[in-house]
Amino acid sequence: PTVEFQALVNEQNEIDARNAQRLVEIVAEIGWPTSGRVGLEASEATQLLIQHFGLEHQKQLLPYLLAAVNAGEAGASSWAMLEDDILVKEGKEQLYGTEIVTGPDGQFALYAVQDPKKLNERRLAVGLPPIEVYIQFAELSLGSAIDISTLTRERP
C-alpha cells in the first residue's frame, strides 16, 4: 500500500475507534439503539458501523444486540452477521456464511463455515437468504467470482 492509502486506513481506524467508544456509551445509557429508540436510519447505521469495530468492542456489544433481537427490536440477521464477523476475527469457522474474504491470490472466497450441510437452515432461521442467492448477489456486487469450495472441503 502507498503512504497515502495507509494514511487513509489509519484515519478510518481512528474514526471507527471513536464511533465504537461512543456506541458503547449510548448502549450503556439507553440499551441497544433500536428504531423505536433512535429512529430507523440511526438504528440501521448502528448495525453497519459495528461491522467495522474491533473485536473487543464487537464482543462487548454483541449481547446487547442479541437482547434487542430477542425482544423483537432488532433483526436476527444483523446479529448473525456480527456473530460471523467475530468468529472470523477469532480464526474460527463462521455459522451463517456472511463473511467473504480475499485470499492471498486476490480471489474472493467464502470464509470456512461450520457444518455446511445445515448452513441454509441456519440462514433461514435468522432471515438470511439461501447461500446460493447470497453468493450470486455478492458476485454481482463485487464484479468477481467467489470461491465457495469451503462449503464442500473435507475438514480434519
Side-chain angles (χ1 to χ4, degrees):
T2 65
V3 171
E4 294 83 12
F5 178 79
Q6 190 57 51
L8 290 172
V9 168
N10 292 342
E11 181 180 350
Q12 186 61 55
N13 288 341
E14 290 174 16
I15 291 168
D16 290 343
R18 285 194 307 270
N19 287 341
Q21 186 54 47
R22 181 63 184 128
L23 183 57
V24 167
E25 293 166 1
I26 290 168
V27 168
E29 184 178 327
I30 68 166
W32 189 258
T34 63
S35 59
R37 289 185 177 119
V38 299
L40 182 60
E41 186 176 350
S43 178
E44 288 177 349
T46 299
Q47 295 169 31
L48 292 173
L49 280 173
I50 199 169
Q51 299 297 322
H52 298 278
F53 291 174
L55 179 60
E56 291 311 310
H57 281 115
Q58 287 181 326
K59 288 172 75 171
Q60 183 179 3
L61 293 166
L62 182 67
Y64 294 97
L65 177 53
L66 181 56
V69 168
N70 289 336
E73 297 175 333
S77 61
S78 295
W79 172 81
M81 288 188 296
L82 182 56
E83 179 73 22
D84 273 358
D85 197 22
I86 290 170
L87 289 168
V88 168
K89 285 178 178 173
E90 292 178 332
K92 299 175 183 173
E93 293 178 334
Q94 61 180 324
L95 286 168
Y96 300 98
T98 63
E99 293 292 312
I100 295 168
V101 296
T102 306
D105 60 357
Q107 169 77 27
F108 292 110
L110 181 66
Y111 193 84
V113 175
Q114 294 179 32
D115 194 5
K117 291 179 181 171
K118 294 187 178 178
L119 176 59
N120 277 335
E121 185 179 317
R122 290 191 304 273
R123 290 179 65 85
L124 180 62
V126 295
L128 291 169
I131 193 66
E132 297 81 8
V133 172
Y134 179 71
I135 294 298
Q136 188 175 42
F137 177 77
E139 287 177 336
L140 286 172
S141 297
L142 295 169
S144 180
I146 297 170
D147 177 2
I148 58 168
S149 62
T150 55
L151 294 176
T152 57
R153 195 174 299 146
E154 290 294 321
R155 303 222 176 13

